[in-house]
Amino acid sequence: MGHREDLLEGAKRCLLEKGFARTTARDIVKESGTNLASIGYHYGSKDALLAQAYIALVEGVSDAFDAPGGTAATEPGSLERFQEVWSNIIATMEQPGSMWHLSMEIIAMGDQLPGVRDHLAKAQREGARGIIPMFMGGVEAEVGDDEVDTLGKFYMTLMMGLIAQWTFDPGTAASGAELTEGLRRLIAAAGPRKPSPA
């Protein structure tokens, strides 16, 4: 590996051990075996490097969102697929050392981490684009902006809520089955209405 990759791997380890706010450039250099100048040369700033490291961590864990082998067992767009994918996502939150608490740190300390927040805000839209095929089928490259602005934002809002619940109190956080039953009831309540008597 070159310095760029070493820095990224070192930053990932630092994030998991110390979080955003407590990770210094010297921590990353020590963990990666590189030098301070390498951070500026390869990433521009420590914040940009930390943002890239966080995105890489999320991409790594998102592979577990889909079914084993990448083939979901349920029909795209179905309530069964909805439950399957959320159950897979929740399973990553249950694992010891889950990196999802880093997302809560960004939310809680966003004003103090402007460089990180700005990089991640740009990446969030692509995250919304990438999550849609997991639920609806198809491929990410064919997901339109209108879908990102509706379905993508819907899924990302659920994701942030789940991360908050699992960070705050895993014992009362929603399961995939509970989310699905909630959606089922919402769909039923929003179904066809009888016309009002004249």
Side-chain angles (χ1 to χ4, degrees):
M1 280 196 297
H3 275 199
R4 182 177 178 83
E5 295 80 14
D6 291 338
L7 284 166
L8 188 65
E9 291 303 313
K12 285 160 63 174
R13 289 191 294 273
C14 287
L15 281 176
L16 290 172
E17 182 181 333
K18 295 185 169 194
F20 284 100
R22 293 189 307 134
T23 294
T24 67
R26 291 190 185 282
D27 292 331
I28 298 168
V29 166
K30 182 179 177 184
E31 188 65 35
S32 64
T34 60
N35 57 63
L36 286 171
S38 294
I39 294 175
Y41 178 78
H42 290 290
Y43 291 94
S45 70
K46 178 195 83 162
D47 283 351
L49 170 55
L50 289 176
Q52 287 301 312
Y54 176 74
I55 291 166
L57 286 169
V58 171
E59 287 173 347
V61 89
S62 69
D63 293 341
F65 291 0
D66 215 341
T71 306
T74 52
E75 183 69 26
S78 67
L79 286 172
E80 293 77 19
R81 173 71 69 94
F82 185 86
Q83 181 171 336
E84 178 184 13
V85 175
W86 282 120
S87 295
N88 292 341
I89 290 171
I90 290 166
T92 69
M93 296 177 186
E94 294 173 326
Q95 294 170 0
S98 170
M99 48 72 59
W100 293 112
H101 68 278
L102 293 171
S103 299
M104 290 296 98
E105 184 179 357
I106 294 168
I107 292 168
M109 302 186 68
D111 291 342
Q112 298 171 41
L113 302 168
V116 174
R117 184 195 58 214
D118 293 346
H119 279 88
L120 295 179
K122 293 174 186 172
Q124 186 175 24
R125 184 168 181 82
E126 291 315 303
R129 188 180 307 277
I131 202 169
I132 292 172
M134 294 179 196
F135 290 95
M136 305 304 290
V139 293
E140 184 176 340
E142 295 175 3
V143 175
D145 287 344
D146 60 324
E147 291 176 287
V148 173
D149 290 332
T150 53
L151 278 175
K153 287 182 178 179
F154 171 73
Y155 293 135
M156 294 304 280
T157 299
L158 284 176
M159 173 77 82
M160 292 307 295
L162 274 174
I163 293 169
Q165 287 179 349
W166 278 92
T167 300
F168 181 70
D169 183 13
T172 60
S175 68
E178 290 167 335
L179 283 175
T180 305
E181 181 58 24
L183 181 59
R184 190 186 320 275
R185 292 181 187 196
L186 182 63
I187 291 168
R193 302 271 182 187
K194 293 180 182 177
S196 302

